[in-house]
Short mmCIF file of all heavy atoms in Angstrom, two decimals:
data_model
loop_
_atom_site.label_atom_id
_atom_site.label_comp_id
_atom_site.label_asym_id
_atom_site.label_seq_id
_atom_site.Cartn_x
_atom_site.Cartn_y
_atom_site.Cartn_z
N SER T 16 -6.42 42.06 5.39
CA SER T 16 -7.50 42.08 6.39
C SER T 16 -7.89 43.50 6.83
O SER T 16 -7.05 44.54 6.53
CB SER T 16 -7.04 41.31 7.65
OG SER T 16 -6.20 42.07 8.49
N HIS T 27 0.08 40.62 13.81
CA HIS T 27 0.47 41.41 15.00
C HIS T 27 -0.67 42.06 15.71
O HIS T 27 -0.80 42.03 16.91
CB HIS T 27 1.48 42.42 14.55
CG HIS T 27 1.89 43.42 15.67
ND1 HIS T 27 2.79 43.12 16.63
CD2 HIS T 27 1.48 44.70 15.79
CE1 HIS T 27 2.95 44.16 17.50
NE2 HIS T 27 2.15 45.21 16.94
N ASP T 64 1.19 45.13 -11.80
CA ASP T 64 1.41 43.73 -12.17
C ASP T 64 1.14 43.53 -13.70
O ASP T 64 0.01 43.63 -14.15
CB ASP T 64 0.38 42.85 -11.29
CG ASP T 64 0.72 41.37 -11.44
OD1 ASP T 64 1.14 40.93 -12.55
OD2 ASP T 64 0.53 40.63 -10.47
N GLU T 87 1.06 37.81 -2.14
CA GLU T 87 1.93 37.67 -0.97
C GLU T 87 2.30 36.23 -0.63
O GLU T 87 3.32 35.86 -0.22
CB GLU T 87 1.35 38.34 0.26
CG GLU T 87 2.17 38.36 1.46
CD GLU T 87 1.58 38.93 2.73
OE1 GLU T 87 0.33 38.81 2.85
OE2 GLU T 87 2.41 39.34 3.62
N MET T 89 2.36 33.65 -2.63
CA MET T 89 3.30 32.94 -3.59
C MET T 89 4.63 33.44 -3.42
O MET T 89 5.72 32.76 -3.54
CB MET T 89 2.70 33.27 -5.14
CG MET T 89 1.45 32.56 -5.48
SD MET T 89 1.65 30.75 -5.56
CE MET T 89 2.58 30.60 -7.05
N ALA T 93 8.33 31.39 -2.01
CA ALA T 93 9.60 31.57 -2.65
C ALA T 93 10.05 30.37 -3.51
O ALA T 93 11.02 29.75 -3.34
CB ALA T 93 10.68 31.68 -1.54
N PRO T 100 3.13 23.57 -14.88
CA PRO T 100 1.69 24.01 -14.81
C PRO T 100 0.70 23.08 -14.44
O PRO T 100 -0.26 23.23 -13.71
CB PRO T 100 1.44 24.52 -16.26
CG PRO T 100 2.77 24.91 -16.76
CD PRO T 100 3.67 23.90 -16.18
N CYS T 106 -7.62 26.42 -5.45
CA CYS T 106 -8.89 26.05 -4.73
C CYS T 106 -9.38 27.28 -3.99
O CYS T 106 -8.65 27.73 -3.04
CB CYS T 106 -8.78 24.81 -3.81
SG CYS T 106 -8.42 23.28 -4.66
N GLU T 144 -22.74 46.24 -20.17
CA GLU T 144 -22.47 46.59 -18.91
C GLU T 144 -22.78 45.43 -17.94
O GLU T 144 -22.11 45.02 -17.01
CB GLU T 144 -23.07 47.90 -18.36
CG GLU T 144 -22.77 48.20 -16.96
CD GLU T 144 -21.25 48.56 -16.65
OE1 GLU T 144 -20.54 48.89 -17.64
OE2 GLU T 144 -20.88 48.54 -15.56
N ARG T 151 -17.78 40.33 -12.87
CA ARG T 151 -17.20 40.82 -11.68
C ARG T 151 -17.76 40.23 -10.31
O ARG T 151 -17.18 40.20 -9.41
CB ARG T 151 -17.36 42.35 -11.55
CG ARG T 151 -16.46 43.07 -12.54
CD ARG T 151 -16.36 44.64 -12.09
NE ARG T 151 -17.69 45.36 -12.37
CZ ARG T 151 -17.97 45.82 -13.67
NH1 ARG T 151 -17.19 45.65 -14.62
NH2 ARG T 151 -19.16 46.44 -13.75
N LEU T 213 -25.52 43.12 0.53
CA LEU T 213 -25.28 41.98 1.53
C LEU T 213 -25.54 42.45 2.97
O LEU T 213 -26.15 41.76 3.76
CB LEU T 213 -23.81 41.48 1.36
CG LEU T 213 -23.61 40.70 0.11
CD1 LEU T 213 -22.14 40.25 0.04
CD2 LEU T 213 -24.51 39.43 -0.05
N GLY T 341 -11.23 14.87 28.95
CA GLY T 341 -10.47 15.58 29.92
C GLY T 341 -9.37 16.50 29.30
O GLY T 341 -8.39 16.76 29.95
#
Side-chain angles (χ1 to χ4, degrees):
S16 84
H27 173 78
D64 189 323
E87 184 183 28
M89 291 294 285
C106 293
E144 180 64 19
R151 283 195 293 275
L213 292 178

